[in-house]
Amino acid sequence: MVLKAELHCHIEGAALPALVESQAEKYGADVSAFIHDGAYHWHDFSSFLAAYDAAANLFRSEEDYAALAETYLTGLASEGAVYSEFFTSPDHAERAGLSPQAYTEGLGEGIARAKAKTGIEGRIIVTGVRHFGPAAVEKAARFAATCGHPLVTGFGMAGDERSGHPRDFVRAFDIAREAGLGISVHAGEFGGADSVEAALDHFAPARIGHGVRAVEKPDLVRRIAEEGVVLEVCPVSNVVLGVFPDFAHHPFPQLYAAGCRLSLNSDDPPHFHTSIGREYAVASAHFGLDETALTAVTRTALEAAFVDEETRRALLLRLAEAEAAPAVAG
Ligand code: ADE
Ligand code: ZN
């Protein structure tokens, strides 16, 4: 099995429908408006975000989050993942009545449990939610910068990228960068190439969440390749949310051929009926990546990970050893 690494998954968006239903039972809530027949139901990006918010609201204690992270990471490891960075949202925790500190402690506990069981390494990227406004995003950045949790290694911004101007969020990213955190920002998903260019100009991120609509502007694609900015590509999410009509129209192959550094990610896996394994399978079936190319995608993700150098070296060594080992039949 090709070893995998994931850099882009929203932890609340990774909650399986059955887990959300059991949380709803525990807290006396009704989720039938957006979960039925064992699956999430919504019809566009705005109703997806609403379902996401409603599911997140049912995780209310440190233990709820520990169990969520442990379940998600254990599943990821079973598909061959050796490393995961997931996005957290202190705003969602506060809206559910939990302090950002307790929320992060719970998630850290889940990462530790999954690592003990499977060996998977996990790190946390705190995000602000763009459509909650610049003040909220800055507050999230301050939390990320000061929380002191050893597994918090990055800061990012998710949410509706059509909301607000990039200049309004510059301070938040400066706070995070000055605290030594890695920077990743969502752009080029529902915003076009200009949103990717604006993100590069205003936030100087090491990585862009999605970024795929950069393909609309050849000069920008060249810039991304030259500057070595890593795109956290989420193919199934893009097709399910209608960013591209199907895999045949997805720009992964063009961006790859242009020399852009790309990783593969599941974004909000059960919402999109995907998993890290499916993303790699899609890249194999639709983008022509063989095992060597898929392993190179994992290598890119590990090179771009917001992780200490000792851990990165160990993960890269594990990848090299797996690649060198003869394939085992059966
Ligand atoms: N939050 C959760 N999933 C997201 C996505 N695909 N884009 C922007 N914000 C998100
Ligand atoms: Zn995302």
Short mmCIF file of all heavy atoms in Angstrom, two decimals, residues 241-285:
data_model
loop_
_atom_site.label_atom_id
_atom_site.label_comp_id
_atom_site.label_asym_id
_atom_site.label_seq_id
_atom_site.Cartn_x
_atom_site.Cartn_y
_atom_site.Cartn_z
N LEU A 241 -18.64 19.56 -4.69
CA LEU A 241 -19.14 20.93 -4.48
C LEU A 241 -19.33 21.69 -5.79
O LEU A 241 -19.75 22.85 -5.78
CB LEU A 241 -18.20 21.70 -3.55
CG LEU A 241 -18.27 21.35 -2.06
CD1 LEU A 241 -17.16 22.04 -1.28
CD2 LEU A 241 -19.64 21.72 -1.47
N GLY A 242 -19.01 21.05 -6.92
CA GLY A 242 -19.28 21.67 -8.21
C GLY A 242 -18.26 22.70 -8.66
O GLY A 242 -18.53 23.49 -9.57
N VAL A 243 -17.07 22.70 -8.04
CA VAL A 243 -16.02 23.62 -8.50
C VAL A 243 -15.60 23.22 -9.92
O VAL A 243 -15.33 24.07 -10.77
CB VAL A 243 -14.81 23.59 -7.53
CG1 VAL A 243 -13.69 24.50 -8.01
CG2 VAL A 243 -15.25 24.00 -6.12
N PHE A 244 -15.58 21.90 -10.18
CA PHE A 244 -15.36 21.35 -11.52
C PHE A 244 -16.44 20.30 -11.77
O PHE A 244 -16.85 19.62 -10.82
CB PHE A 244 -13.96 20.73 -11.64
CG PHE A 244 -12.86 21.70 -11.29
CD1 PHE A 244 -12.21 21.59 -10.07
CD2 PHE A 244 -12.52 22.74 -12.14
CE1 PHE A 244 -11.23 22.51 -9.71
CE2 PHE A 244 -11.55 23.67 -11.79
CZ PHE A 244 -10.89 23.56 -10.57
N PRO A 245 -16.87 20.14 -13.03
CA PRO A 245 -18.01 19.25 -13.26
C PRO A 245 -17.70 17.77 -13.04
O PRO A 245 -18.58 17.00 -12.68
CB PRO A 245 -18.37 19.51 -14.74
CG PRO A 245 -17.17 20.17 -15.34
CD PRO A 245 -16.46 20.87 -14.24
N ASP A 246 -16.44 17.38 -13.28
CA ASP A 246 -16.06 15.97 -13.11
C ASP A 246 -14.53 15.88 -13.05
O ASP A 246 -13.84 16.88 -13.25
CB ASP A 246 -16.62 15.08 -14.23
CG ASP A 246 -16.30 15.65 -15.60
OD1 ASP A 246 -15.19 16.20 -15.76
OD2 ASP A 246 -17.15 15.57 -16.51
N PHE A 247 -14.02 14.67 -12.81
CA PHE A 247 -12.56 14.51 -12.65
C PHE A 247 -11.83 14.82 -13.97
O PHE A 247 -10.69 15.28 -13.95
CB PHE A 247 -12.21 13.12 -12.14
CG PHE A 247 -12.72 12.87 -10.74
CD1 PHE A 247 -13.54 11.78 -10.46
CD2 PHE A 247 -12.39 13.73 -9.71
CE1 PHE A 247 -14.03 11.57 -9.18
CE2 PHE A 247 -12.87 13.52 -8.41
CZ PHE A 247 -13.69 12.45 -8.16
N ALA A 248 -12.50 14.58 -15.09
CA ALA A 248 -11.85 14.85 -16.38
C ALA A 248 -11.55 16.34 -16.55
O ALA A 248 -10.65 16.72 -17.29
CB ALA A 248 -12.75 14.36 -17.52
N HIS A 249 -12.32 17.19 -15.86
CA HIS A 249 -12.10 18.64 -15.96
C HIS A 249 -11.29 19.18 -14.78
O HIS A 249 -11.11 20.39 -14.65
CB HIS A 249 -13.44 19.38 -16.03
CG HIS A 249 -14.15 19.18 -17.33
ND1 HIS A 249 -14.96 18.09 -17.57
CD2 HIS A 249 -14.13 19.90 -18.47
CE1 HIS A 249 -15.44 18.17 -18.80
NE2 HIS A 249 -14.94 19.26 -19.37
N HIS A 250 -10.84 18.29 -13.88
CA HIS A 250 -10.08 18.78 -12.72
C HIS A 250 -8.66 19.14 -13.16
O HIS A 250 -8.04 18.39 -13.93
CB HIS A 250 -10.04 17.70 -11.61
CG HIS A 250 -9.60 18.26 -10.30
ND1 HIS A 250 -8.28 18.52 -10.01
CD2 HIS A 250 -10.31 18.67 -9.22
CE1 HIS A 250 -8.20 19.05 -8.80
NE2 HIS A 250 -9.42 19.15 -8.29
N PRO A 251 -8.12 20.27 -12.68
CA PRO A 251 -6.82 20.73 -13.20
C PRO A 251 -5.60 20.08 -12.55
O PRO A 251 -4.47 20.49 -12.83
CB PRO A 251 -6.84 22.23 -12.89
CG PRO A 251 -7.71 22.34 -11.69
CD PRO A 251 -8.76 21.27 -11.81
N PHE A 252 -5.78 19.06 -11.71
CA PHE A 252 -4.61 18.43 -11.08
C PHE A 252 -3.53 18.11 -12.11
O PHE A 252 -2.36 18.50 -11.92
CB PHE A 252 -5.04 17.17 -10.30
CG PHE A 252 -3.93 16.56 -9.47
CD1 PHE A 252 -3.92 16.67 -8.09
CD2 PHE A 252 -2.87 15.86 -10.08
CE1 PHE A 252 -2.88 16.13 -7.33
CE2 PHE A 252 -1.84 15.32 -9.33
CZ PHE A 252 -1.85 15.45 -7.96
N PRO A 253 -3.88 17.42 -13.23
CA PRO A 253 -2.80 17.04 -14.17
C PRO A 253 -2.07 18.25 -14.75
O PRO A 253 -0.85 18.21 -14.92
CB PRO A 253 -3.55 16.27 -15.27
CG PRO A 253 -4.80 15.79 -14.61
CD PRO A 253 -5.18 16.85 -13.63
N GLN A 254 -2.80 19.34 -15.03
CA GLN A 254 -2.15 20.53 -15.60
C GLN A 254 -1.21 21.17 -14.59
O GLN A 254 -0.10 21.59 -14.94
CB GLN A 254 -3.21 21.58 -15.97
CG GLN A 254 -3.85 21.39 -17.31
CD GLN A 254 -5.16 22.17 -17.35
OE1 GLN A 254 -6.19 21.66 -16.91
NE2 GLN A 254 -5.11 23.39 -17.86
N LEU A 255 -1.67 21.28 -13.36
CA LEU A 255 -0.84 21.90 -12.32
C LEU A 255 0.40 21.04 -12.05
O LEU A 255 1.51 21.55 -11.87
CB LEU A 255 -1.67 22.08 -11.03
CG LEU A 255 -2.85 23.06 -11.16
CD1 LEU A 255 -3.82 22.90 -9.99
CD2 LEU A 255 -2.35 24.50 -11.22
N TYR A 256 0.20 19.74 -12.06
CA TYR A 256 1.30 18.79 -11.83
C TYR A 256 2.34 18.92 -12.95
O TYR A 256 3.54 19.02 -12.70
CB TYR A 256 0.71 17.38 -11.76
CG TYR A 256 1.64 16.30 -11.30
CD1 TYR A 256 1.97 16.18 -9.94
CD2 TYR A 256 2.17 15.38 -12.20
CE1 TYR A 256 2.81 15.17 -9.50
CE2 TYR A 256 3.02 14.36 -11.75
CZ TYR A 256 3.32 14.26 -10.42
OH TYR A 256 4.16 13.26 -9.98
N ALA A 257 1.84 18.94 -14.20
CA ALA A 257 2.74 19.04 -15.36
C ALA A 257 3.49 20.36 -15.37
O ALA A 257 4.62 20.45 -15.87
CB ALA A 257 1.94 18.88 -16.65
N ALA A 258 2.87 21.40 -14.78
CA ALA A 258 3.52 22.73 -14.74
C ALA A 258 4.56 22.82 -13.62
O ALA A 258 5.20 23.86 -13.45
CB ALA A 258 2.47 23.81 -14.57
N GLY A 259 4.71 21.75 -12.85
CA GLY A 259 5.75 21.73 -11.81
C GLY A 259 5.28 22.26 -10.46
O GLY A 259 6.10 22.53 -9.57
N CYS A 260 3.96 22.41 -10.29
CA CYS A 260 3.45 22.84 -8.97
C CYS A 260 3.59 21.68 -7.98
O CYS A 260 3.45 20.52 -8.36
CB CYS A 260 1.98 23.26 -9.06
SG CYS A 260 1.73 24.69 -10.10
N ARG A 261 3.85 22.03 -6.73
CA ARG A 261 3.95 21.02 -5.67
C ARG A 261 2.55 20.78 -5.12
O ARG A 261 1.90 21.70 -4.61
CB ARG A 261 4.90 21.51 -4.58
CG ARG A 261 6.30 21.80 -5.11
CD ARG A 261 7.17 22.41 -4.05
NE ARG A 261 7.56 21.45 -3.03
CZ ARG A 261 7.84 21.77 -1.76
NH1 ARG A 261 7.75 23.02 -1.35
NH2 ARG A 261 8.22 20.84 -0.91
N LEU A 262 2.07 19.52 -5.21
CA LEU A 262 0.69 19.20 -4.89
C LEU A 262 0.60 18.10 -3.84
O LEU A 262 1.37 17.14 -3.88
CB LEU A 262 -0.05 18.71 -6.15
CG LEU A 262 0.04 19.60 -7.40
CD1 LEU A 262 -0.71 18.94 -8.56
CD2 LEU A 262 -0.52 20.99 -7.14
N SER A 263 -0.36 18.25 -2.91
CA SER A 263 -0.69 17.13 -2.01
C SER A 263 -2.15 16.74 -2.26
O SER A 263 -2.89 17.46 -2.93
CB SER A 263 -0.47 17.53 -0.55
OG SER A 263 -1.45 18.47 -0.14
N LEU A 264 -2.53 15.57 -1.76
CA LEU A 264 -3.89 15.06 -1.94
C LEU A 264 -4.59 14.99 -0.58
O LEU A 264 -3.99 14.51 0.40
CB LEU A 264 -3.85 13.65 -2.54
CG LEU A 264 -3.55 13.58 -4.04
CD1 LEU A 264 -3.17 12.15 -4.44
CD2 LEU A 264 -4.74 14.07 -4.87
N ASN A 265 -5.86 15.43 -0.54
CA ASN A 265 -6.54 15.60 0.74
C ASN A 265 -8.04 15.36 0.64
O ASN A 265 -8.62 15.52 -0.43
CB ASN A 265 -6.31 17.04 1.22
CG ASN A 265 -4.84 17.38 1.26
OD1 ASN A 265 -4.16 17.10 2.22
ND2 ASN A 265 -4.33 17.96 0.17
N SER A 266 -8.66 15.06 1.80
CA SER A 266 -10.08 14.68 1.77
C SER A 266 -11.02 15.80 2.22
O SER A 266 -12.23 15.66 2.09
CB SER A 266 -10.30 13.44 2.63
OG SER A 266 -10.07 13.72 3.99
N ASP A 267 -10.51 16.89 2.82
CA ASP A 267 -11.27 18.11 3.16
C ASP A 267 -12.31 17.87 4.26
O ASP A 267 -12.07 18.22 5.41
CB ASP A 267 -11.90 18.69 1.88
CG ASP A 267 -12.13 20.19 1.96
OD1 ASP A 267 -11.70 20.83 2.95
OD2 ASP A 267 -12.74 20.76 1.02
N ASP A 268 -13.45 17.31 3.92
CA ASP A 268 -14.52 16.99 4.89
C ASP A 268 -15.06 15.62 4.49
O ASP A 268 -16.16 15.51 3.91
CB ASP A 268 -15.65 18.03 4.82
CG ASP A 268 -15.13 19.45 5.04
OD1 ASP A 268 -14.92 19.82 6.20
OD2 ASP A 268 -14.92 20.16 4.04
N PRO A 269 -14.30 14.55 4.76
CA PRO A 269 -14.50 13.27 4.05
C PRO A 269 -15.92 12.72 4.00
O PRO A 269 -16.40 12.43 2.90
CB PRO A 269 -13.48 12.33 4.70
CG PRO A 269 -12.86 13.07 5.83
CD PRO A 269 -13.15 14.52 5.68
N PRO A 270 -16.65 12.56 5.12
CA PRO A 270 -17.97 11.92 4.95
C PRO A 270 -18.98 12.81 4.23
O PRO A 270 -19.92 12.30 3.62
CB PRO A 270 -18.42 11.62 6.39
CG PRO A 270 -17.62 12.50 7.26
CD PRO A 270 -16.34 12.82 6.53
N HIS A 271 -18.79 14.13 4.26
CA HIS A 271 -19.69 15.01 3.52
C HIS A 271 -19.57 14.77 2.01
O HIS A 271 -20.52 14.97 1.27
CB HIS A 271 -19.36 16.49 3.80
CG HIS A 271 -19.82 16.96 5.14
ND1 HIS A 271 -21.08 17.45 5.38
CD2 HIS A 271 -19.18 16.99 6.33
CE1 HIS A 271 -21.20 17.79 6.65
NE2 HIS A 271 -20.06 17.52 7.25
N PHE A 272 -18.36 14.36 1.60
CA PHE A 272 -18.11 14.22 0.16
C PHE A 272 -17.97 12.75 -0.25
O PHE A 272 -17.52 12.47 -1.36
CB PHE A 272 -16.84 15.00 -0.22
CG PHE A 272 -16.84 16.44 0.23
CD1 PHE A 272 -15.72 17.04 0.79
CD2 PHE A 272 -18.00 17.20 0.11
CE1 PHE A 272 -15.74 18.37 1.21
CE2 PHE A 272 -18.04 18.54 0.53
CZ PHE A 272 -16.90 19.13 1.07
N HIS A 273 -18.32 11.83 0.67
CA HIS A 273 -18.19 10.40 0.41
C HIS A 273 -16.77 10.06 -0.03
O HIS A 273 -16.55 9.39 -1.04
CB HIS A 273 -19.22 9.94 -0.64
CG HIS A 273 -20.62 10.34 -0.27
ND1 HIS A 273 -21.34 9.69 0.70
CD2 HIS A 273 -21.41 11.36 -0.69
CE1 HIS A 273 -22.51 10.29 0.86
NE2 HIS A 273 -22.57 11.31 0.03
N THR A 274 -15.81 10.58 0.72
CA THR A 274 -14.44 10.31 0.35
C THR A 274 -13.61 9.92 1.58
O THR A 274 -14.14 9.79 2.70
CB THR A 274 -13.82 11.53 -0.38
OG1 THR A 274 -12.58 11.14 -0.95
CG2 THR A 274 -13.61 12.72 0.55
N SER A 275 -12.34 9.71 1.35
CA SER A 275 -11.37 9.36 2.39
C SER A 275 -10.01 9.60 1.74
O SER A 275 -9.92 9.77 0.52
CB SER A 275 -11.49 7.88 2.76
OG SER A 275 -11.09 7.08 1.65
N ILE A 276 -8.95 9.58 2.52
CA ILE A 276 -7.62 9.79 1.92
C ILE A 276 -7.34 8.68 0.89
O ILE A 276 -6.76 8.95 -0.18
CB ILE A 276 -6.50 9.88 3.00
CG1 ILE A 276 -5.20 10.38 2.39
CG2 ILE A 276 -6.31 8.56 3.71
CD1 ILE A 276 -5.24 11.79 1.88
N GLY A 277 -7.79 7.46 1.20
CA GLY A 277 -7.59 6.35 0.26
C GLY A 277 -8.29 6.62 -1.07
O GLY A 277 -7.74 6.37 -2.14
N ARG A 278 -9.51 7.16 -1.00
CA ARG A 278 -10.24 7.43 -2.25
C ARG A 278 -9.54 8.53 -3.04
O ARG A 278 -9.49 8.49 -4.28
CB ARG A 278 -11.70 7.79 -1.95
CG ARG A 278 -12.45 8.08 -3.23
CD ARG A 278 -13.95 7.99 -3.20
NE ARG A 278 -14.45 8.25 -4.55
CZ ARG A 278 -15.39 9.12 -4.87
NH1 ARG A 278 -16.01 9.81 -3.92
NH2 ARG A 278 -15.75 9.31 -6.12
N GLU A 279 -9.00 9.54 -2.36
CA GLU A 279 -8.33 10.64 -3.08
C GLU A 279 -7.13 10.08 -3.87
O GLU A 279 -6.93 10.45 -5.03
CB GLU A 279 -7.86 11.72 -2.11
CG GLU A 279 -8.97 12.36 -1.28
CD GLU A 279 -9.97 13.18 -2.09
OE1 GLU A 279 -9.62 13.61 -3.21
OE2 GLU A 279 -11.11 13.37 -1.60
N TYR A 280 -6.36 9.20 -3.23
CA TYR A 280 -5.22 8.61 -3.94
C TYR A 280 -5.70 7.71 -5.09
O TYR A 280 -5.09 7.67 -6.15
CB TYR A 280 -4.32 7.82 -2.96
CG TYR A 280 -3.29 8.68 -2.23
CD1 TYR A 280 -3.67 9.65 -1.31
CD2 TYR A 280 -1.92 8.51 -2.45
CE1 TYR A 280 -2.73 10.43 -0.64
CE2 TYR A 280 -0.96 9.28 -1.78
CZ TYR A 280 -1.38 10.23 -0.87
OH TYR A 280 -0.44 11.01 -0.21
N ALA A 281 -6.82 7.01 -4.86
CA ALA A 281 -7.36 6.14 -5.92
C ALA A 281 -7.86 6.98 -7.10
O ALA A 281 -7.67 6.60 -8.27
CB ALA A 281 -8.50 5.28 -5.36
N VAL A 282 -8.47 8.12 -6.82
CA VAL A 282 -8.93 9.03 -7.88
C VAL A 282 -7.73 9.54 -8.67
O VAL A 282 -7.75 9.62 -9.91
CB VAL A 282 -9.74 10.20 -7.27
CG1 VAL A 282 -9.85 11.38 -8.24
CG2 VAL A 282 -11.13 9.72 -6.84
N ALA A 283 -6.66 9.91 -7.96
CA ALA A 283 -5.46 10.42 -8.65
C ALA A 283 -4.85 9.35 -9.55
O ALA A 283 -4.33 9.65 -10.62
CB ALA A 283 -4.44 10.92 -7.63
N SER A 284 -4.96 8.10 -9.11
CA SER A 284 -4.46 7.00 -9.93
C SER A 284 -5.37 6.78 -11.15
O SER A 284 -4.91 6.72 -12.29
CB SER A 284 -4.39 5.73 -9.06
OG SER A 284 -4.28 4.59 -9.86
N ALA A 285 -6.68 6.71 -10.91
CA ALA A 285 -7.62 6.36 -11.99
C ALA A 285 -7.84 7.51 -12.97
O ALA A 285 -8.00 7.27 -14.17
CB ALA A 285 -8.96 5.94 -11.37
#
